[in-house]
Amino acid sequence: ARYGAASAGSSGVTGATASLPSGLPTLNTAKTALEWSSASYLSSETYGFACQLKVPDKSPTTSVNAFFVEIGDWTSSDIADRHEALVVAAGTVQALTNVSVDPSSVVVGETISLTMQARLATAIPAAGSLLVVSPSNYPLPSSCSLTTLTVPSTFTSTLTCTVAQGTLTSSAGTTDAIEFKIKSSSGTIPKGYYQFQIATKNPTSTKTNAVSGTTTCGYEQCWSFFSLYGDDTTSLDVKASAAGYAVLAAMGHAALAPLSEKQRISLKQTRR
């Protein structure tokens, strides 16, 4: 870490005119905070601090995405003890978020509409794509039919889709998977929230989807989302996984049982 004036060279901080009076801070892990001991600061000086920081997997969703700087006793309930404060907005972590896959039916072998969504932190260039990879053993559609539901106001083009047979590598080995490649018909895909539907089919055999501690989505069946620069290997945003769904056998037979006259009367049913 560095906390010296810029004139200190390699140990200094660009823009700082004086070293921090209290030197290095201590780490308060309970409050995820850096705390400096009491010291006197001059309004005529500019102080600085620089250190390495590990970027999280995604921007926080349970707290404000910002850094808070306070001078004074921040644990005090007396406002007079809390002299100054500043909120510094943190940048958006380059990671895909809000990904999900919702089927119109979970019956084995059914032709379905999959409603997919994702939020891009980084715009995808014209040569790039949003790639969605299915769990193992999904049938390959003859074509990719996409219906756009929601896009950012900055997106003025059209989403297109191609589909191909891919591979899925897991602890069980490498199996067949389906790759849906989403592109812009012209230009870039701006950052923001996207929701669209893709027509496809459910697998021809049933699938369970129990909670799992060994997958990226927390369930047995995972759909993977990738934001690609253009060469199908370079990622723009950190990939994300969405929980899949169980594929169930169709119900063999269902019907309403006829009511006897006594049952009809007791239930106050008419003959309509």
Side-chain angles (χ1 to χ4, degrees), residues 6 9 27 67 85 94 127-128 132 138 140 142 153-154 176 181 203 224 229 246:
L27 175 62
F67 293 93
Q94 289 182 243
V132 184
Y138 267 69
L140 177 66
S142 58
S153 59
T154 53
D176 290 338
K181 185 177 292 185
S224 301
Y229 181 77

Side-chain angles (χ1 to χ4, degrees), residues 123-129 182-189 228-230 236:
I124 299 176
S129 63
I182 317 301
K183 297 178 68 70
S184 169
S185 60
S186 62
T188 63
I189 301 179
L228 302 178
Y229 181 77
L236 291 164

Side-chain angles (χ1 to χ4, degrees), residues 239-253:
K239 69 178 182 179
S241 294
Y245 54 94
V247 179
L248 308 177
M251 185 178 294
H253 178 73

Side-chain angles (χ1 to χ4, degrees), residues 82-243:
R82 307 177 73 166
H83 306 298
E84 297 182 40
L86 174 69
V87 178
V88 181
T92 301
V93 176
Q94 289 182 243
L96 293 172
T97 55
N98 291 16
V99 296
S100 71
V101 175
D102 184 26
S104 59
S105 170
V106 297
V107 175
V108 65
E110 284 273 305
T111 298
I112 62 170
S113 292
L114 283 176
T115 300
M116 301 180 181
Q117 67 177 33
R119 183 176 294 277
L120 311 181
T122 308
I124 299 176
S129 63
L130 174 65
L131 184 68
V132 184
V133 182
S134 76
S136 62
N137 301 321
Y138 267 69
L140 177 66
S142 58
S143 62
C144 191
S145 174
L146 182 146
T147 302
T148 302
L149 299 178
T150 305
V151 296
S153 59
T154 53
F155 182 61
T156 57
S157 183
T158 303
L159 292 178
T160 63
C161 173
T162 56
V163 62
Q165 189 79 53
T167 56
L168 181 70
T169 302
S170 66
S171 58
T174 301
T175 55
D176 290 338
I178 303 302
E179 296 181 349
F180 298 97
K181 185 177 292 185
I182 317 301
K183 297 178 68 70
S184 169
S185 60
S186 62
T188 63
I189 301 179
K191 64 181 181 180
Y193 173 75
Y194 292 82
Q195 186 183 56
F196 47 88
Q197 285 183 336
I198 291 179
T200 186
K201 280 191 174 184
N202 278 332
T204 55
S205 57
T206 59
K207 280 177 171 286
T208 59
N209 193 35
V211 173
S212 173
T214 61
T215 63
T216 54
C217 70
Y219 290 85
E220 289 179 313
Q221 309 300 330
C222 296
W223 290 75
S224 301
F225 289 70
F226 302 85
S227 172
L228 302 178
Y229 181 77
D231 57 8
D232 291 351
T233 58
T234 303
S235 293
L236 291 164
D237 293 336
V238 176
K239 69 178 182 179
S241 294

Side-chain angles (χ1 to χ4, degrees), residues 52-64:
Q52 291 185 328
L53 180 70
K54 183 177 180 180
V55 178
D57 293 335
K58 60 182 180 180
S59 295
T61 55
T62 58
S63 65
V64 177

